[in-house]
Amino acid sequence: MGAIGGEELINWEKMQEMGNGKEEKIMVLVRLRPLSENEITRNEVADWECINPTTILYRNSLQEQSGLPTAYSFDRVFRGDCATREVYEEGTKDIALSVVGGINSTIFAYGQTSSGKTYTMNGITEYAVADIYDYIQRHEERAFVLKFSAVEIYNEVVRDLLSTDNAPLRLLDDPEINLHLESLSSLDVALNDENHSFGLGRTPLIPKVLLLLVIVPLNCDIASLKP
Ligand code: ADP
Ligand code: MG
């Protein structure tokens, strides 16, 4: 376990409590996508509008007449004209960085086709990886091991993108190590890899286009260099 102190120790203890389920946290954020050029050409109008940082409004007149609610609240909502950097900083940065404190975390996008999942997650992944590298470089008193795995979930089948074996991976629920993917491959990542490329050029199965589709479980193990 790494040697930590002061403010970091307090944050660490807070995160330990979260890890013990005392304050389990799931956050739901909504990001609206701006209308595409095609949608503008067809004179379409946006059905959804952010009316404050936590509420979106459904403006479709049919829905209003149906008596169903038109306003929905979430932990945070982002307007169509906000940058991915803002979504990352305000919505997901803390979650991404909790891994360097020993807490497992996941950020995923859910939505219909063309709603902006890939667009958003590409930016989030880039910023998260850069921040994790930055954190590691600023904490030389601790030793980190970074591992990279890449999986694709398509039609409810999970595939290991770092393996030449095309067989689907099994999802196992082990009481000791919790939910995990059986035999998922992982690469040890160089901590001084300035391009954050994970040495992926050496892996045959990940052409760039596939990277747009993957979930990136970044695993940070912490060990101490000095007591
Ligand atoms: P999904 O992965 O959900 O199917 P995409 O991420 O591919 O959707 O987005 C569909 C299209 O909309 C793409 O052309 C993408 O560049 C564009 N797009 C998505 N979100 C935004 C955004 N916030 N700002 C500008 N363009 C966006
Ligand atoms: Mg996509």
Side-chain angles (χ1 to χ4, degrees):
M1 205 55 68
I4 52 177
E7 196 186 324
E8 277 197 335
L9 185 58
I10 296 166
N11 289 338
W12 169 261
E13 282 169 352
K14 265 196 219 154
M15 287 195 281
Q16 290 286 311
E17 282 178 17
M18 283 168 64
N20 288 339
K22 287 185 196 156
E23 196 195 329
E24 190 173 352
K25 217 159 185 194
I26 296 175
M27 284 180 59
V28 183
L29 319 169
V30 173
R31 180 188 199 182
L32 301 185
R33 167 172 76 63
L35 291 177
S36 67
E37 277 178 24
N38 279 345
E39 288 163 339
I40 292 169
T41 310
R42 292 196 300 265
N43 286 328
E44 292 187 20
V45 286
D47 281 335
W48 295 93
E49 189 194 348
C50 288
I51 53 168
N52 64 43
T54 57
T55 312
I56 50 172
L57 199 64
Y58 191 51
R59 292 146 68 83
N60 187 305
S61 54
L62 289 174
Q63 174 98 3
E64 275 162 24
Q65 286 160 16
S66 75
L68 291 170
T70 53
Y72 297 84
S73 291
F74 298 89
D75 293 301
R76 186 76 166 79
V77 302
F78 297 93
R79 295 154 45 112
D81 60 0
C82 83
T84 303
R85 170 60 88 177
E86 188 182 337
V87 177
Y88 172 71
E89 294 285 340
E90 294 185 22
T92 61
K93 182 174 178 166
D94 289 348
I95 300 168
L97 279 174
S98 67
V99 293
V100 292
I103 302 299
N104 289 336
S105 66
T106 302
I107 301 165
F108 73 93
Y110 176 83
Q112 71 186 67
T113 301
S114 214
S115 57
K117 302 181 295 296
T118 301
Y119 182 93
T120 300
M121 290 308 292
N122 280 346
I124 301 275
T125 305
E126 183 186 328
Y127 299 138
V129 168
D131 272 350
I132 288 168
Y133 267 87
D134 182 57
Y135 182 95
I136 290 172
Q137 269 151 18
R138 284 187 295 105
H139 290 78
E140 287 177 351
E141 74 284 5
R142 296 165 65 192
F144 292 84
V145 178
L146 269 181
K147 290 175 190 288
F148 175 86
S149 302
V151 298
E152 174 192 52
I153 306 173
Y154 192 71
N155 282 345
E156 300 185 20
V157 172
V158 186
R159 275 204 328 126
D160 187 342
L161 295 176
L162 296 182
S163 164
T164 43
D165 181 357
N166 212 19
L169 292 182
R170 292 200 307 154
L171 191 62
L172 301 182
D173 194 1
D174 183 297
E176 299 248 312
I177 47 177
N178 288 329
L179 211 57
H180 67 283
L181 289 166
E182 190 183 37
S183 343
L184 176 65
S185 344
S186 66
L187 286 175
D188 285 336
V189 177
L191 292 175
N192 56 1
D193 178 357
E194 286 185 359
N195 299 320
H196 310 149
S197 65
F198 306 120
L200 290 180
R202 297 195 302 273
T203 60
L205 269 185
I206 306 207
K208 243 190 165 152
V209 63
L210 263 185
L211 267 182
L212 303 177
L213 307 171
V214 301
I215 289 179
V216 186
L218 258 184
N219 197 352
C220 270
D221 293 343
I222 308 166
S224 69
L225 273 180
K226 292 182 193 149

